[in-house]
Amino acid sequence: EADQHREYQAAVAALDGKPVVIRTLDIGADKQLPYLRLPAVPNPALGVRGARLWQSHPELLDTQLRALLRVSTPERLRIMVPMLSDAGELAWVRGRLEGLAESLGLTRLPALGAMIEVPSAALGARRLAAEADFLSIGTNDLTQYTLAMDREEPRLAARADVLHPAVLALVKATVEGAAGACPVGVCGAAAGDDLAGPLLVALGVDELSVEPARVPALKAALRRLDAAALADEIPGLLELDDAAAVRERLTAWFAADATATTTTTCERMPS
């Protein structure tokens, strides 16, 4: 607990008043810890991982939550809970968070958010949004579970694409389910994809998370984006067969949009 608290406090201090997002311990499948070896199972990606681990190891969650609550300004924190299947699991975590806060005499609590990584969470986004302070779509796992394609299998890497219409439909369902209740972010690799990032904005996502080196390029792209015009294309994109077709149509749309923008700019220039 002391080690975790020191790291969290350092992150809060370094960001100097900006919010800090911390994901609760997310192990299982491709993520393992040397001090907590989970039993071998036939399909670890569908096993005890993320939020499911807390039922058998609640002490690990409590240790992390206490470390987070002890940060000097806990209201700057956003706690993000992975691998939720339904709102009941998040309510259980909130109950433990509030109970620990009460025992510590705290009234200022971090925001508590749900990660949308499995289809049931996306389809139940309305109920999750009523329990959460924010939703965060983990596009890597959401793609894996929607398409039944292991994200660790290199032979499927080209096909496990977030731009598959089925994955996009779940992103759309999440945004629509959360509308008016809480914001929706994306913390998966898709936010940094040149085609997927702008499309996520057009779908109504409020926040994109990318590695620092990609921030300037993404900001520049979004400043140029006509999100409303791209949103008009979404129904047609959802009717396509696969991700390759979506990428082809998006590439053509952006090329046509760039040409139209250049032409309009030239026409407005004084002779």
Side-chain angles (χ1 to χ4, degrees), residues 5 8 12 18-24 61 64-81 90 93-102 104-114 131-134:
H5 172 256
Y8 301 148
V12 169
K18 295 179 181 178
V20 180
V21 182
I22 305 289
R23 178 161 43 175
T24 57
L61 175 63
Q64 185 173 19
L65 293 180
R66 278 195 304 268
L68 289 163
L69 287 168
R70 287 176 52 207
V71 168
S72 59
T73 51
E75 65 274 15
R76 292 183 186 172
L77 294 174
R78 299 179 187 172
I79 300 176
M80 195 165 67
V81 185
L90 185 64
V93 175
R94 186 177 290 282
R96 297 193 79 87
L97 177 67
E98 292 176 348
L100 290 169
E102 184 178 358
L104 294 171
L106 299 174
T107 57
R108 297 177 302 168
L109 271 65
L112 183 65
E131 183 66 41
D133 297 310
F134 65 93

Side-chain angles (χ1 to χ4, degrees), residues 165-209:
V167 181
L168 295 178
L170 290 176
V171 173
K172 183 173 182 288
T174 300
V175 171
E176 291 175 349
C182 71
V184 178
V186 167
C187 61
D193 184 294
D194 291 340
L195 296 177
L199 181 59
L200 290 168
V201 172
L203 280 162
V205 167
D206 301 294
E207 185 176 284
L208 301 178
S209 176

Side-chain angles (χ1 to χ4, degrees), residues 5 25 40 43 47 82 109 116 122 133 136 151 156 162 210 212 227 230 233 239 268:
H5 172 256
L25 186 63
N43 193 338
L109 271 65
I116 306 297
D133 297 310
S136 184
R151 58 187 286 188
L156 296 175
V162 68
V210 297
L230 182 53
E233 301 295 316
E239 293 295 322
R268 291 176 178 174

